[in-house]
């Protein structure tokens, strides 16, 4: 049983550090903007009007609370612990990403800046940003790696329909990390009139904190829901980890709960024995990337590695600094699931429950299958179903040899 | 006295300004960098800023991004960058060399190992783009122990409060980034820089050098007249790109000639 020996809600410190991780490793040009953002967020996060507006938007625009669903047929087939799915896939725009963009769009509005930018991997954060920008009448530019533009065409078109400009990034490995580099470059150049809506719990302080806070609604609801449905806390939580925003969103409310085991699932790609994966917590080591110190995948010279995952949203060589700290402090365990295991889980959940998960979330489903057997009957696992799989249908079809 | 302090003192006594070229180590190939450094000195470089190649140069524009990619594709690394400086020092003990880059390769090597290796190679200063003074705590003691200067950036968005912090932490010189944005972006506004420089010089005794947006001799001369030196980067890196397939000697000769023209415009006296 997990024993809690410290207050896991007491982080980060005033300068944005989670133990040795996090911080603000940013260009000097951005330091003042980051100070301003910190000050604004510190003031607004406890402001009743701001909280009320955020809660109202989540309820009336996003459609929260999202259900906590006992997947009975899946549970029966697996023959182990009860599987509860936190249905973030049912949110407006189809993923947890909207929780954060609603919050940050409010910050952008308060800041008075007329233009927002974002980076995106799978396109879910880009769509969520383009959505709130459309709603608030903000100009929106989304940076997306050229490889991701290719494999996530549906989301690219959704963003364009929403009025956003999608910039295909052709530098480096042409994926999420390069999109983030390009968004940083834009922000450095246009810092006076532009608010950068970072999509995950990474980046320079205060981003890891505010993105976590906006997503922590997931765990607050799930904790209340499981208590209502079963009268008890879960035995384990499972969520996929790319940058780690859906995972921290589910985990945070439970961090101080004894007896709740926490599992973050990284992208194992073609397997952790080779280099074709995106599992910095499993196989990387601490370094500095995109404004924070965290676990990173890099070669012997410290050059950032090109990563691989079938899921664009997990295809990132770093991870949010709070996860790095939760790993080191042994509060959470980080494991990996391969492309093939995730694809099997995608099909299994679709056929068994009529729920098509995003390939990112399918990694969490696949690990839950293993864990359900280990924990056994009568135990409860909450799996964060962070997004829906519509965007991945053509990827899966291509693997089946079909073009749709 | 450090090589950097001695250089600024000598230039000041001669009524001259520092001309500081930036090139990425190993661009376009590792064999080019050493002859290029010597050629730059011959053409009037007072200090050399050598970029440590990084896979994800977030503060750089397309020209220097490609320079990083060329260097890494041709096998450049942080170790090899230090080796080149050590070779340079065998025949040049006077011209300061400052390494500029991003923190991850340095973290990967380890601060203590890196600082000692850099010092042994003859490196004089260090400028980490993604390490503001607040995050420099891990390296500052090692750097101080061997006399390696830590140079920090000041930008048009730096507040007066932050400026004070940066001045206290900076040794060697302060690098004033003349415009908001990435390397190689716009052309700077000399009048704005001059105004800011007047304010800065009232608040610090450390030499202030200006970089970003200096593309020609005339701009270099005008900017140099209001500060202690100018840093020239993207112009040289663009030239290297055009000469990519040429011999090391040809690249060194043509690229350093560009710098020589700037020196001439700034006045050799």
């Amino acid at each position: 049983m997990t024993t809690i020996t410290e207050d896991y809600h007491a982080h980060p410190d005033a300068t944005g550090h989670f133990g040795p991780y996090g911080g603000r490793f940013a260009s000097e040009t951005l330091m003042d903007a980051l100070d301003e953002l910190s000050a604004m967020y510190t003031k607004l996060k406890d402001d009743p009007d701001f909280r009320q507006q955020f809660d109202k938007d989540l309820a009336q625009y996003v459609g929260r609370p999202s259900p906590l669903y006992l997947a009975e047929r899946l549970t029966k087939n697996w023959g182990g612990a009860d599987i509860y799915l936190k249905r973030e896939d049912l949110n407006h725009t189809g993923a947890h990403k909207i929780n954060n963009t609603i919050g940050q769009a409010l910050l952008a509005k308060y800041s008075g800046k007329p233009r927002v930018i974002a980076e995106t991997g799978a396109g879910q954060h880009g769509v969520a940003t383009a959505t709130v920008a459309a709603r608030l009448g903000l100009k929106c530019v989304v940076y997306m790696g050229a490889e991701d533009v290719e494999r996530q065409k549906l989301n690219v078109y959704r963003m364009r329909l929403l009025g956003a400009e999608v910039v295909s990034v052709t530098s480096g490995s042409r994926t999420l990390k390069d999109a983030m580099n390009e968004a940083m470059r834009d922000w450095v150049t246009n810092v006076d009139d532009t608010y950068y809506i970072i999509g995950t719990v990474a980046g320079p302080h205060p981003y890891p904190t505010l993105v976590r806070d906006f997503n922590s609604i997931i765990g607050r609801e799930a904790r209340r829901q499981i208590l209502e449905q079963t009268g008890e806390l879960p035995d384990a939580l499972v969520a996929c980890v790319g940058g780690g925003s859906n995972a921290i969103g589910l985990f945070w409310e439970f961090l101080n709960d004894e007896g709740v085991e926490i599992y973050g699932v990284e992208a194992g790609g073609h397997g952790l024995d080779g280099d074709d994966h995106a599992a910095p917590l499993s196989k990387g080591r601490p370094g500095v990337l995109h404004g924070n110190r965290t676990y990173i995948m890099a070669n012997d010279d410290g050059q950032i590695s090109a990563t691989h995952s079938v899921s664009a949203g997990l295809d990132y060589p770093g991870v949010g600094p709070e996860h790095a700290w939760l790993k080191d402090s042994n509060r959470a365990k980080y494991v990996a699931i391969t492309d093939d295991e995730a694809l099997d889980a995608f099909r299994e959940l679709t056929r068994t429950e009529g729920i098509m998960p995003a390939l990112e979330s399918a990694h969490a489903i696949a690990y839950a299958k293993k864990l359900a057997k280990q924990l056994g009957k009568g135990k409860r696992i909450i799996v964060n179903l962070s997004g829906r799989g519509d965007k991945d249908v053509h990827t899966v079809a291509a693997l089946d040899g079909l073009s749709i | 006295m450090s090589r950097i302090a001695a250089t600024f003192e000598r230039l000041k006594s001669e009524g001259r300004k520092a001309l500081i070229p930036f090139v990425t180590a190993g661009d376009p190939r590792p064999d080019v960098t050493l002859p290029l450094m010597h050629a730059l000195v011959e053409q009037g470089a007072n200090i050399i800023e050598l970029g440590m190649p990084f896979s994800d140069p977030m503060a750089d524009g397309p020209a220097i991004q490609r320079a990083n990619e060329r260097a890494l594709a041709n096998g450049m690394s942080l170790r090899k960058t230090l080796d080149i400086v050590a070779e340079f020092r065998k025949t040049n003990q006077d011209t300061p060399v400052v390494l500029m880059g991003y923190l991850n390769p340095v973290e990967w090597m380890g601060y203590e190992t890196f600082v000692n290796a850099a010092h042994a190679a003859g490196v004089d200063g260090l400028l980490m783009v993604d390490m503001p003074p607040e995050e420099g705590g891990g390296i500052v003691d090692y750097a101080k122990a061997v006399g390696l200067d830590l140079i920090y950036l000041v930008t048009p968005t730096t507040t007066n409060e932050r400026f004070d912090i940066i001045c206290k932490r900076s040794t060697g010189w302060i690098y004033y980034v003349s415009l908001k944005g990435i390397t190689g972006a716009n052309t700077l506004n000399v009048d704005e820089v001059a105004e800011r420089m007047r304010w800065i010089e009232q608040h610090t005794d450390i030499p202030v050098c200006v970089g970003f947006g200096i593309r020609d001799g005339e701009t270099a001369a005008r900017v140099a007249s209001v500060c202690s030196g100018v840093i020239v980067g993207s112009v040289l890196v663009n030239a290297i790109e055009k000469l990519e397939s040429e011999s090391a000697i040809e690249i060194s000769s043509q690229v350093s000639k560009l710098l020589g023209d700037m020196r001439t415009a700034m006045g050799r006296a």
Side-chain angles (χ1 to χ4, degrees):
Chain A
M1 168 146 166
T2 311
T3 317
I4 303 296
T5 52
E6 65 173 295
D7 179 8
Y8 287 95
H9 287 170
H11 299 268
D13 65 15
T15 53
H17 292 86
F18 301 86
Y21 302 109
R24 190 179 277 175
F25 295 86
S27 305
E28 177 59 30
T29 307
L30 297 178
M31 293 301 282
D32 185 48
L34 292 165
D35 275 338
E36 272 179 26
L37 179 59
S38 288
M40 181 172 69
Y41 180 64
T42 303
K43 187 167 132 261
L44 289 177
K45 75 183 166 81
D46 300 319
D47 178 78
D49 290 344
F50 182 85
R51 298 281 353 157
Q52 194 192 6
Q53 184 66 46
F54 181 60
D55 291 344
K56 184 179 160 196
D57 284 353
L58 289 184
Q60 296 178 6
Y61 188 71
V62 175
R64 302 204 72 95
S66 69
L68 184 72
Y69 166 70
L70 172 60
E72 290 186 54
R73 196 151 171 260
L74 195 69
T75 298
K76 188 159 168 274
N77 281 4
W78 287 354
D82 291 340
I83 303 297
Y84 289 83
L85 302 178
K86 181 59 176 164
R87 299 290 309 274
E88 292 299 298
D89 60 317
L90 295 177
N91 293 339
H92 180 43
T93 71
H96 73 288
K97 293 287 187 187
I98 192 86
N99 302 324
N100 168 46
T101 58
I102 288 281
Q104 289 205 58
L106 284 175
L107 294 179
K109 202 171 115 184
Y110 274 85
S111 77
K113 294 181 177 178
R115 179 174 180 269
V116 295
I117 56 171
E119 84 294 338
T120 196
Q124 291 303 106
H125 174 59
V127 167
T129 302
T131 298
V132 295
R135 179 172 175 242
L136 295 177
L138 301 169
K139 186 170 160 42
C140 177
V141 177
V142 178
Y143 291 93
M144 189 167 185
E147 190 177 316
D148 295 333
V149 167
E150 186 53 39
R151 59 180 162 174
Q152 300 289 348
K153 285 179 189 152
L154 178 66
N155 274 344
V156 172
Y157 191 56
R158 285 170 80 194
M159 286 184 265
R160 289 185 173 142
L161 285 174
L162 287 159
E165 180 190 346
V166 180
V167 179
S168 175
V169 177
T170 55
S171 57
S173 63
R174 303 150 65 98
T175 59
L176 179 54
K177 82 173 173 74
D178 310 285
M180 201 149 177
N181 291 339
E182 212 54 40
M184 289 272 186
R185 288 177 187 126
D186 181 312
W187 200 32
V188 168
T189 307
N190 301 299
V191 63
D192 290 337
D193 76 342
T194 297
Y195 182 99
Y196 180 14
I197 301 187
I198 291 185
T200 192
V201 284
H205 176 66
Y207 282 103
T209 304
L210 63 89
V211 177
R212 173 197 74 193
D213 290 352
F214 292 139
N215 272 305
S216 65
I217 183 71
I218 303 170
R220 274 200 304 283
E221 285 176 5
R223 195 173 185 280
R224 192 184 70 230
Q225 289 164 324
I226 193 106
L227 286 171
E228 282 167 8
Q229 291 179 28
T230 72
E232 291 183 81
L233 288 173
D235 297 283
L237 308 174
V238 180
C240 65
V241 178
S245 66
N246 92 82
I248 209 77
L250 175 65
F251 298 166
W252 206 74
E253 192 70 14
F254 295 92
L255 286 179
N256 286 334
D257 287 328
E258 298 229 349
V260 179
E261 293 190 357
I262 295 176
Y263 296 89
V265 185
E266 296 193 294
H270 295 148
L272 294 187
D273 292 339
D275 295 326
D276 294 337
H277 57 77
L281 289 166
S282 303
K283 298 290 280 188
R285 46 177 267 213
V288 170
L289 179 67
H290 292 150
N292 62 104
R293 184 179 286 123
T294 185
Y295 279 79
I296 280 169
M297 286 173 56
N299 70 12
D300 291 343
D301 189 38
Q303 309 298 336
I304 306 303
S305 304
T307 50
H308 165 80
S309 171
V310 68
S311 117
L314 303 183
D315 204 350
Y316 180 64
V319 63
E322 192 161 9
H323 287 292
W325 177 73
L326 289 173
K327 171 189 162 72
D328 282 11
S329 62
N330 289 317
R331 178 61 189 100
K333 294 185 186 71
Y334 293 89
V335 296
I337 283 292
T338 64
D339 287 354
D340 288 344
E341 290 172 316
L343 287 161
D344 286 346
F346 172 91
R347 292 175 199 280
E348 188 170 12
L349 185 67
T350 302
R351 289 287 180 93
T352 311
E353 293 286 348
I355 297 171
M356 199 176 289
L359 285 177
E360 290 78 12
S361 320
H363 285 73
I365 301 290
Y367 187 73
K369 184 174 185 175
K370 298 182 181 181
L371 188 63
K373 290 192 181 98
Q374 283 169 30
L375 292 180
K377 284 186 177 169
K379 302 285 186 174
R380 291 166 302 277
I381 300 173
I382 297 179
V383 184
N384 202 8
L385 196 66
S386 55
R388 68 182 184 219
D390 308 40
K391 69 183 175 60
D392 296 311
V393 168
H394 73 276
T395 299
V396 176
L399 292 168
D400 284 341
L402 299 172
S403 175
I404 54 172
Chain B
M1 188 185 293
S2 75
R3 247 189 300 257
I4 291 175
T7 297
F8 281 109
E9 194 147 295
R10 180 172 50 77
L11 287 169
K12 196 176 176 187
S13 72
E14 296 166 358
R16 298 166 71 215
K17 301 300 172 75
L19 178 58
I20 308 174
F22 167 90
V23 291
T24 301
D27 175 33
R29 303 179 303 274
D31 68 297
V32 175
T33 305
L34 183 63
L36 177 57
M37 289 169 77
H38 286 304
L40 290 167
V41 173
E42 279 166 30
Q43 290 288 335
N46 304 111
I47 298 172
I48 290 179
E49 223 178 71
L50 202 54
M52 299 178 277
F54 184 49
S55 54
D56 292 74
M58 274 162 286
D60 286 297
I64 294 180
Q65 284 173 48
R66 289 195 297 270
N68 280 275
E69 287 178 10
R70 283 192 295 273
L72 291 173
N74 287 314
M76 202 57 201
S77 67
L78 185 51
R79 285 274 176 203
K80 287 181 186 166
T81 303
L82 296 175
D83 291 345
I84 288 173
V85 178
E87 277 300 310
F88 176 77
R89 275 282 166 263
K90 284 182 181 167
T91 53
N92 182 325
Q93 277 87 49
D94 302 323
T95 309
V97 174
V98 170
L99 296 183
M100 181 169 185
Y102 296 82
L103 200 52
N104 197 56
V106 169
E107 286 237 339
W108 225 247
M109 188 182 281
Y111 288 151
E112 187 175 11
T113 307
F114 169 76
V115 166
N116 291 335
H119 177 65
V123 171
D124 301 284
L126 192 60
L127 200 172
M128 306 306 304
V129 177
D130 53 355
M131 188 188 77
E134 290 90 333
E135 299 289 0
I139 204 166
V140 66
D141 289 343
Y142 299 123
K144 207 173 268 177
V146 299
L148 194 70
D149 284 327
L150 287 181
I151 294 151
Y152 289 103
L153 301 168
V154 170
T155 72
T157 61
T158 301
T159 59
N160 294 352
E161 294 75 32
R162 286 192 56 75
F163 181 79
D164 285 339
I165 297 170
I166 293 168
C167 281
K168 285 197 189 87
R169 307 274 177 91
S170 290
T171 52
W173 85 75
I174 288 171
Y175 187 134
Y176 183 67
V177 176
S178 57
L179 42 87
K180 286 169 224 162
I182 50 180
T183 51
N186 298 308
T187 306
L188 58 78
N189 179 330
V190 179
D191 295 334
E192 264 177 36
V193 171
E195 193 185 320
R196 184 70 175 152
M197 215 45 58
R198 275 193 292 277
W199 186 90
I200 288 175
E201 285 183 341
Q202 283 166 13
H203 290 81
T204 181
D205 295 327
I206 307 175
V208 181
C209 298
V210 177
F212 282 43
I214 298 174
R215 290 191 179 156
D216 52 52
E218 196 206 329
T219 315
R222 289 177 63 205
V223 172
S225 71
V226 299
C227 63
S228 298
V230 294
I231 300 125
V232 180
S234 295
V235 170
L236 306 180
V237 172
N238 282 328
I240 291 172
E241 180 164 54
K242 287 205 186 80
L243 298 163
E244 186 176 355
S245 51
E246 303 289 336
S247 70
I249 291 175
E250 186 63 20
I251 296 173
S252 303
S253 153
Q254 293 208 32
V255 172
S256 61
K257 172 80 173 45
L258 282 174
L259 192 80
D261 292 345
M262 289 198 172
R263 180 86 261 177
T264 305
M266 285 165 64
R268 274 181 191 276

